[in-house]
Amino acid sequence: MPHNLRSSLHLTSVFALMGCFAGSPALAEDASAMLHRLADTGHRNTASVSEVATATEAQSPFENLADLGEALYFDTNLSANRTMSCATCHDPSTGFRDPRVDVASGAFSLGDDGESLGDRNAPTASYAKFSPPFHVREDGVAVGGQFWDGRAMDLAEQAGGPPLNPIEMGMPDKASVVARLHEDDDYVAGFKALFGNDVWSDADQAYGAMTKAIAAFEEGDEFAPFDSKYDRFLRGEYKMTPEEELGRVLFFSQQFTNCNTCHMLKTSPTAEGETFTNYEFHNIGVPRNVATRDAVQKDVGFTDNGLLDNAAIDDPAYRGKYKTPSLRNVAVTGPYMHNGVFADLETVVRFYNKYNSKAEINQTNPETGRPWGEPEVAETISLKQLEQGDALDEKRIDAIVAFLKTLTDARYEPLLEQQQAAKAN
């Protein structure tokens, strides 16, 4: 299929899915107009991979590196059975998360073989470009990278993982992926135009070019438009409801909550471009997802080592720690935590509250009606950070949830309406 037609179909199908909901004015735009609007917001990463290469030959079917990356992002031919692409687990129409909630309740993703399930919840790809390269600071705190354990240094390295993972896209090696790429004449011409005539001479080189292209696409503003109600509030274009405003004040409070301890990057609570994570790694005492693992016949006693699974880390003191996720689009990208153990955003807030309130009601998981499960890894919990806030009453819990919903990109606001309607029924 010619690239220009293939690209058009990708974007048309994505935005047609979003257009089936009533709501945000942004949804009325066609795909081209919407992407141009998002591109004008000015929130592009200054260290963008997309600056590495642009097409130098007029006959190239790809205008630039991001254009090539877009085609690759949606290409199911890069999986063993030709059924799975990056977009399968990071669907643009659902906040760049895995929309297949009928599989393992959305906690784990189904692989290309139609049988394999991972052990971790697929994180959203939205706003992922802002995570710094993985490193350990002088104070011993691990920061950044991609994946829950930070094992990929950057977006390009992350993009290279799933095609070769036997329980994801299932390709046996880089050479096999490159052979699939070579089946497409557009790729053959485009890679040469963007990376030079010798790009196909070496499998590692061609595979690396593929990952750079996908990273360039993921650095585009469609992944991070900064156009939520919160962003519009900062620009004076939206007035918070009283409940949302209370939640905002509580979230950024140094006295009443511990939310911003880990979920605030900027120094000012009114700074634009906030990603709502400091990218640090912490163990917050998340319990095993026993119910879902049992339902899909996975080992219910499995313990995820978290950061200790990162090849750059060998100190047991990091066991059970995970990268603090961005709260951008958090209300529409459940289930939550590294193992998808919580289905509802309110449950997450109540889970945090259990560290500061010993009342019986706050020691109960509302989704199960039973006490919160034991921590998957107990010895490395970040109690200092978790216990520094006050106990939250019902009004404040509701307010924080209301505020978190304002962090939803404009084009996903209809998904919130869907959620509300589903709860009402």
Side-chain angles (χ1 to χ4, degrees), residues 60-80:
S60 173
F62 302 100
E63 186 175 333
N64 53 40
L65 200 58
D67 193 28
L68 169 59
E70 179 192 326
L72 294 164
Y73 187 90
F74 290 96
D75 195 343
T76 57
N77 288 325
L78 303 182
S79 64

Side-chain angles (χ1 to χ4, degrees), residues 26 41 47 72 86 155 187 203 209 232 247 260 263 308 329 359 364 401 407 424:
T41 58
L72 294 164
C86 301
L155 284 176
Y187 288 156
R232 303 198 300 269
N260 66 359
H263 287 286
L308 195 57
N329 294 316
T364 302
V401 172
L407 307 184

Side-chain angles (χ1 to χ4, degrees), residues 181-209:
L181 292 171
H182 219 271
E183 294 174 359
D184 190 311
D185 291 341
D186 284 353
Y187 288 156
V188 173
F191 273 57
K192 285 183 178 179
L194 289 161
F195 294 99
N197 290 331
D198 65 342
V199 67
W200 294 109
S201 64
D202 178 77
D204 286 340
Q205 184 175 348
Y207 194 86

Side-chain angles (χ1 to χ4, degrees), residues 14-152:
V14 167
F15 291 109
L17 281 171
M18 293 190 284
C20 70
F21 305 112
S24 169
L27 299 177
E29 298 175 302
D30 62 29
S32 177
M34 186 174 193
L35 290 181
H36 278 92
R37 177 177 63 79
L38 295 178
D40 289 338
T41 58
H43 290 285
R44 183 173 296 279
N45 188 349
T46 56
S48 172
V49 171
S50 60
E51 296 174 1
V52 172
T54 55
T56 57
E57 298 181 11
Q59 68 270 28
S60 173
F62 302 100
E63 186 175 333
N64 53 40
L65 200 58
D67 193 28
L68 169 59
E70 179 192 326
L72 294 164
Y73 187 90
F74 290 96
D75 195 343
T76 57
N77 288 325
L78 303 182
S79 64
N81 295 305
R82 303 179 191 264
T83 67
M84 190 174 187
S85 70
C86 301
T88 303
C89 295
H90 303 285
D91 189 332
S93 68
T94 57
F96 294 98
R97 70 171 180 89
D98 193 333
R100 298 172 295 175
V101 294
D102 57 328
V103 178
S105 301
F108 312 123
S109 293
L110 186 66
D112 172 75
D113 61 6
E115 298 178 358
S116 298
L117 289 168
D119 291 309
R120 292 176 181 168
N121 182 250
T124 175
S126 62
Y127 298 87
K129 67 178 180 178
F130 295 103
S131 182
F134 179 79
H135 63 284
V136 178
R137 295 193 313 231
E138 291 184 1
D139 62 359
V141 175
V143 181
Q146 302 291 332
F147 295 117
W148 282 103
D149 57 16
R151 66 186 183 276

Side-chain angles (χ1 to χ4, degrees), residues 155-194:
L155 284 176
E157 189 173 338
Q158 185 279 325
L164 304 180
N165 191 321
I167 63 171
E168 293 187 58
M169 297 172 76
M171 295 295 281
D173 49 44
K174 292 180 180 180
S176 299
V177 177
V178 172
R180 290 284 180 88
L181 292 171
H182 219 271
E183 294 174 359
D184 190 311
D185 291 341
D186 284 353
Y187 288 156
V188 173
F191 273 57
K192 285 183 178 179
L194 289 161

Side-chain angles (χ1 to χ4, degrees), residues 340-351:
V341 67
F342 301 138
D344 192 81
L345 183 57
E346 181 181 322
T347 304
V348 176
V349 178
R350 291 183 179 278
F351 174 76

